[in-house]
Amino acid sequence: MAMTRIRVGLLPSAVCMTGTDATPKIKDPQTGEIATDRETGEHLFTVTVMLMEEGRAEVMKLTVPQSGLPDGLKPGVMVRPVDLFATPWARIFNGQLSEGIAYRAGRLDSVK
């Protein structure tokens, strides 16, 4: 079954600030294997950002390929996600339904 990917458009006034360093996305916690892009094989990283738009703020965890991370990325840096997509997900674990939205950006551009 194909997963639904929804393109996310940000308002021009939207501002994103990193809250964490980029950390490797772990595919298998047992082995420590790092997740890779299915098409390119490139390592994937996660970055938590605070999206501020029209008087509200949301914390989002973004998955970004290694080549899409700007130099000097650290907490407190202003960035703009490029090619941002949302993928809804759901799973049953130990009889309990968990659901959410996974966010993926093609890259993060530094905002000066």
Side-chain angles (χ1 to χ4, degrees):
M1 181 172 166
M3 295 182 74
T4 301
R5 286 179 20 140
I6 303 164
R7 182 177 288 278
V8 177
L10 299 176
L11 295 174
S13 61
V15 176
C16 290
M17 179 174 45
T18 57
T20 63
D21 288 320
T23 57
K25 183 172 182 156
I26 302 300
K27 178 179 181 178
D28 183 347
Q30 298 280 343
T31 65
E33 180 183 0
I34 298 174
T36 57
D37 183 277
R38 291 181 184 152
E39 294 175 12
T40 67
E42 187 173 3
H43 285 152
L44 298 175
F45 285 74
T46 58
V47 179
T48 301
V49 300
M50 173 96 57
L51 167 65
M52 295 162 279
E53 186 175 68
E54 294 188 334
R56 64 182 182 81
E58 299 284 335
V59 175
M60 301 170 58
K61 186 185 286 188
L62 303 178
T63 298
V64 184
Q66 188 170 13
S67 65
L69 298 172
D71 291 335
L73 188 66
K74 60 184 178 187
V77 171
M78 305 303 274
V79 295
R80 182 127 183 117
V82 177
D83 293 330
L84 181 60
F85 286 88
T87 304
W89 60 269
R91 69 177 178 186
I92 295 176
F93 184 73
N94 288 336
Q96 297 291 320
L97 175 65
S98 295
E99 58 187 344
I101 299 174
Y103 293 96
R104 169 92 181 247
R107 72 177 191 271
L108 297 177
D109 287 348
S110 293
V111 176
K112 305 278 186 223

